[in-house]
Amino acid sequence: MGFKKMLGAFGVGGPKVDTVLTEPRRRPGETLAGEVRITAADYAVDVQRVSLGLVARVEVEHGDGESAGALEFGRADAAGAFRLEAGEDRVLPFELALPWEAPITEVHGHPLHGMALGVRTELALAKAVDKGDLDPVAVVPLPSQERVLDAFDRLGFGFKGADLEYGRLHGVDQELPFYQEIEFSAPPAYAGRIGEVELTFVADPVGMAVVLEADRRGGLFGSSDQVFRLRVGHEEAVSLDWTAELARWLDDLTGGPSGHRAGYADHHGHGGDKGHGHGGGPGWAGVAAGAAVGVAAGVAGGMIAGEVLEEVFEDDEGDEED
């Protein structure tokens, strides 16, 4: 799968670039491999570098609400400086590591609505830089993550959508400047007691944090957000009975079939920030809904790991319509 585009920044007769991924479907922590195929220009050009970047659409909260931008969160060079002679083609192999915290975009062959992630090829000449097209990448879950997602399906949760939120989860070791929220509607048995549940994975080579945020309905205050997290190794996660764990969490959160709430976390007023706290269940930590998440007041204040690319996805959508 590849995209070919006349690099308009270099004028008529300039080089063309076709980026081909060997396997565009990878897991977090794996490596994307492929080739950048440069078709000769009608004239000699001095190439400064050929780079590839991982780009994702990220939601950013600010005083006026929320806006979406594109963030580069990984980069590799396919080549440094070289001269491309007139009529000369060039094939450049590359490898680009997917971070362990890379967001999931596909589960069991089904894309997650709301996710947009890809590899962007950048060709820099002496006096111009062309960002090139975006080559979509599918990130499928690790076996440990897949076990959790399968349990959500077995319990009757309905998938609603997914997005990436710019910011940091308090109390969770996190390298990327954003985290993924996979949104589910509550199972029918809990209708009226839970609105929606958001699932977040923060993985590393050893294990992962599983963070759940539930909108609990009813009671004196109308509704409240409850946040829970569990740190688990990948091997343990594969063998854990997640269906039973999640069912127990739901029952404790809502009072369960008997109407008696065992209690993972205390009741709090409405709020949506994720953080840390104390709770009762085996391994689960209950979180006060108002606990702080380290979200920067603005994008420029903290987006050091990547470049804001506001129009990458919009440009690609426009190209497809042409």
Side-chain angles (χ1 to χ4, degrees):
M1 176 174 62
F3 288 85
K4 184 170 289 187
K5 175 182 177 182
M6 174 67 75
L7 300 183
F10 309 137
V12 177
K16 298 177 183 178
V17 171
D18 185 17
T19 299
V20 179
L21 296 175
T22 303
E23 176 50 72
R25 184 172 282 100
R26 306 299 287 167
R27 290 188 172 118
E30 294 183 339
T31 300
L32 287 167
E35 296 177 341
V36 178
R37 301 171 182 174
I38 303 176
T39 302
D42 294 342
Y43 47 85
V45 294
D46 290 319
V47 178
Q48 292 183 328
R49 71 180 184 280
V50 180
S51 303
L52 299 107
L54 283 169
V55 180
R57 190 195 303 273
V58 179
E59 302 287 339
V60 181
E61 293 185 3
H62 45 76
D64 298 329
E66 190 173 68
S67 60
L71 173 68
E72 182 180 286
F73 63 100
R75 173 172 279 258
D77 288 335
F82 66 92
R83 184 171 181 82
L84 185 69
E85 299 293 344
E88 177 189 3
D89 295 339
R90 188 72 66 97
V91 176
L92 304 172
F94 69 86
E95 290 188 344
L96 180 58
L98 273 177
W100 283 92
E101 295 177 18
I104 297 165
T105 68
E106 181 181 300
V107 179
H108 296 312
H110 300 289
L112 295 187
H113 175 70
M115 296 306 302
L117 187 148
V119 173
R120 189 195 61 180
T121 304
E122 182 178 300
L123 179 64
L125 304 188
K127 296 182 180 180
V129 175
D130 196 285
K131 304 278 185 191
D133 287 336
L134 195 70
D135 210 351
V137 173
V139 181
V140 299
L142 297 162
S144 52
Q145 296 169 332
E146 193 170 289
R147 289 279 293 171
V148 180
L149 292 166
D150 287 346
F152 267 78
D153 184 58
R154 284 192 294 270
L155 286 170
F157 283 89
F159 173 72
K160 294 182 64 177
D163 64 10
L164 301 180
E165 297 287 338
Y166 181 75
R168 305 191 70 83
L169 297 166
H170 186 78
V172 175
D173 291 334
Q174 181 183 337
E175 293 187 358
L176 295 182
F178 59 82
Y179 56 91
Q180 182 178 31
E181 290 183 338
I182 306 175
E183 300 174 358
F184 297 89
S185 58
Y190 297 89
R193 291 183 287 171
I194 296 179
E196 72 175 23
V197 174
E198 295 174 345
L199 167 65
T200 295
F201 296 115
V202 182
D204 58 42
V206 177
M208 62 181 177
V210 181
V211 183
L212 301 175
E213 180 176 356
D215 175 22
R216 192 178 66 199
R217 302 292 174 83
L220 179 62
F221 298 98
S223 68
S224 64
D225 289 346
Q226 299 293 325
V227 183
F228 307 90
R229 76 165 184 268
L230 172 67
R231 170 71 191 185
V232 61
H234 291 301
E235 292 185 9
E236 181 184 357
V238 171
S239 61
L240 192 63
D241 186 348
W242 286 101
T243 304
E245 286 288 329
L246 292 173
R248 183 163 54 249
W249 171 67
L250 286 170
D251 288 342
D252 284 352
L253 182 65
T254 62
S258 65
H260 173 70
R261 183 171 178 270
Y264 276 110
D266 295 331
H267 185 89
H268 295 270
H270 182 73
D273 292 343
K274 295 182 180 180
H276 70 2
H278 302 282
W284 289 96
V287 182
V293 178
V295 180
V299 176
M303 202 169 281
I304 300 173
E307 174 188 21
V308 181
L309 312 167
E310 294 291 350
E311 299 178 355
V312 168
F313 295 101
E314 289 78 1
D315 287 348
D316 282 347
E317 291 168 2
D319 290 343
E320 290 174 2
E321 294 173 0
D322 294 339

